[in-house]
């Protein structure tokens, strides 16, 4: 039987247009983009076109876009740049302080850069900041999301700011709940603080889940950095980062050193076919976002209606708050009855392909995202993340709901 894929927040297939652009680049633009002969010239032109398309997608200038291998590299790089930026700014005097017992000199904590983030970030941000803390590289405040909205509150972000705060990094939309975070509102508060301080606080957002689903414009958000992940919007597994006016407004600190590609920001011979695919996917988003978003919202809403009709009070939709909005494609649902853990349900479905949360997490443990939002552990264990795509139909949803009904009945009858 044909499988029904509802895990588009984990990854998306290549769109046909993107696949064709990759094949064409491999066939016709195989030369080194730094070369002057025809295949190399074609490669350089494709890269320049892709950079423009990615920039258009997020309302940026082409010069603000730097290609990366993906979201994890992009987030790591941006956070590491913030540490170097802090030390270049010499935010606090480098005064050692004496240890309380042995009198040895120690670096004071006030010399460390301070990051503010949420407690629902992706591991490519969360784990980097935890590493910074462990190694004594930085201090971090993890602002909890509100249990009434699934969002971080701007006032809580404001309250966490210190004289040593160098960056606030908040994802634009959560990959499990779909809740959209108030990044633009946070920026308004940052700007007020920056006007009264000699030191600039930087703002970064990981836009991986938002791109291709909702409008994303760096000028509306007023972010300094933004992470772009191709395989979330029907592009290949490659990415890019946005930096506001690199080397003019913000200094770029390379993670790598080499031959000078990407304006010496990110050296290494460019992966022309994948970059071309990313550019084509960005072009499609720029041209068709309203259509994509509207279709996914209709199908997601139909999914939640059908689930309510079939299971009634035996399910709860997680992340559906009156005071916040969600991505148009995301439905996180928990089955109430004992024994209906998400991973067990999926093992009993015949046609549904989905996950209990982020694909990079263990699928038999409750999601820390849901727990942070106030979902009880028993319900968090029983959660499924269902995310629809551009091609998902209402007929697909009918099949999925029927499949889930059979799985639930099978598990409950077997447990008697």
């Amino acid at each position: 039987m044909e499988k029904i894929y509802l895990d588009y927040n984990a990854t998306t297939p290549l769109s046909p247009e993107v696949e064709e652009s990759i094949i064409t680049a491999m066939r016709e633009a195989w030369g080194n983009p730094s070369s002057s002969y025809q295949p190399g010239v074609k490669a350089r032109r494709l890269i320049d076109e892709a950079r423009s398309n990615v920039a258009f997608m997020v309302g940026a200038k082409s010069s603000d876009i730097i290609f990366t291998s993906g979201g994890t590299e992009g987030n790591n790089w941006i956070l590491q740049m913030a540490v170097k930026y802090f030390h270049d700014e010499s935010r606090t005097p480098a005064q050692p302080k004496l240890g309380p017992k042995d009198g040895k000199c120690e670096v004071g904590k006030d010399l460390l850069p301070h990051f503010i983030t949420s407690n629902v970030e992706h591991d490519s941000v969360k784990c980097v900041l935890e590493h910074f803390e462990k190694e004594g590289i930085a201090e971090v405040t993890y602002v909890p999301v509100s249990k009434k909205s699934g969002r971080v509150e701007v006032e809580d972000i404001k309250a966490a700011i210190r004289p040593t705060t160098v960056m606030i990094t908040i994802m634009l939309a959560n990959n499990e709940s779909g809740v959209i975070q108030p990044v633009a509102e946070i920026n308004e508060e940052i700007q007020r603080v920056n006007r009264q301080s000699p030191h600039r606080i930087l703002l970064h957002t990981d836009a991986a889940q938002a791109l291709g689903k909702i409008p994303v414009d760096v000028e509306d958000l007023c972010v300094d950095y933004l992470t772009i992940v191709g395989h979330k919007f029907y592009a290949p597994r490659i990415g890019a980062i946005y930096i506001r006016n690199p080397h003019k407004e913000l200094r770029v600190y390379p993670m790598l050193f080499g031959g000078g590609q990407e304006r010496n920001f990110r050296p290494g011979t460019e992966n022309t076919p994948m970059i071309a695919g990313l550019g084509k996917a960005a072009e499609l988003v720029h041209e068709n976002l309203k259509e994509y978003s509207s279709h996914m919202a209709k199908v997601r809403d139909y999914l939640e209606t059908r689930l309510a009709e079939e299971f009634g009070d035996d399910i709860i939709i997680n992340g559906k708050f009156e005071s916040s909005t969600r991505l148009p494609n995301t439905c996180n649902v928990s089955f109430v009855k004992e024994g209906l853990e998400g991973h067990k349900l999926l093992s009993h479905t015949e046609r549904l392909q989905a996950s209990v949360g982020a694909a990079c997490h263990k699928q038999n443990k409750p999601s820390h995202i849901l727990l942070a939002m106030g979902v009880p552990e028993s319900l968090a264990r029983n959660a499924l993340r269902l995310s629809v795509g551009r091609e998902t139909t209402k007929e697909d949803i009918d099949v999925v709901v029927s499949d889930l009904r059979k799985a639930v009945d099978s598990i409950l009858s077997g447990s008697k």
Side-chain angles (χ1 to χ4, degrees), residues 26-51:
M26 294 177 71
R27 184 187 303 120
E28 300 178 4
W30 48 266
N32 191 311
S34 299
S35 302
S36 58
Y37 42 77
Q38 191 61 19
V41 171
K42 285 186 176 180
R44 173 54 54 196
R45 185 173 66 248
L46 286 179
I47 292 171
D48 291 343
E49 290 175 357
R51 198 185 310 277

Side-chain angles (χ1 to χ4, degrees), residues 183-202:
V183 174
E185 293 92 328
I186 291 170
N187 169 70
E188 292 177 6
E189 188 57 48
I190 291 176
Q191 295 308 315
R192 279 192 283 270
V193 173
N194 282 345
R195 284 194 292 269
Q196 301 171 7
S197 170
H199 303 298
R200 178 176 180 172
I201 299 174
L202 305 170

Side-chain angles (χ1 to χ4, degrees), residues 30 32 46 118 190 198 233 251 295 306 400:
W30 48 266
N32 191 311
L46 286 179
S118 79
I190 291 176
F233 58 96
R251 182 174 177 183
H295 171 76
R306 289 287 292 112
V400 165

Side-chain angles (χ1 to χ4, degrees), residues 264-380:
N264 274 318
F265 297 154
R266 203 263 188 184
T269 303
E270 299 93 336
N271 190 344
T272 305
M274 299 301 106
I275 291 174
L278 182 69
K280 173 55 70 172
E283 180 184 11
L284 293 173
V285 169
H286 181 67
E287 294 176 349
N288 304 298
L289 179 61
K290 286 185 179 179
E291 177 185 340
Y292 296 155
S293 182
S294 175
H295 171 76
M296 288 186 286
K298 288 178 182 177
V299 175
R300 190 277 309 275
D301 291 348
Y302 181 73
L303 166 63
E304 293 184 350
T305 297
R306 289 287 292 112
L307 286 170
E309 291 172 348
E310 184 66 40
F311 297 101
D313 294 337
D314 288 339
I315 62 162
I316 292 176
I317 304 298
N318 303 308
K320 193 173 183 179
F321 301 99
E322 292 184 1
S323 54
S324 59
T325 56
R326 292 179 295 162
L327 293 172
N329 78 318
T330 306
C331 167
N332 194 301
V333 58
S334 285
F335 289 78
V336 174
K337 292 184 178 179
E338 186 177 351
L340 296 179
E341 292 89 350
H343 70 95
K344 187 183 295 185
L345 271 172
L346 291 175
S347 70
H348 281 73
T349 57
E350 295 180 339
R351 301 186 64 177
L352 171 63
Q353 293 179 323
S355 66
V356 302
C360 49
H361 293 164
K362 291 183 178 180
Q363 299 293 288
N364 60 350
K365 290 188 175 182
S367 162
H368 77 277
I369 302 293
L370 297 183
L371 296 176
M373 290 168 50
V375 177
E377 183 173 343
S378 59
L379 291 179

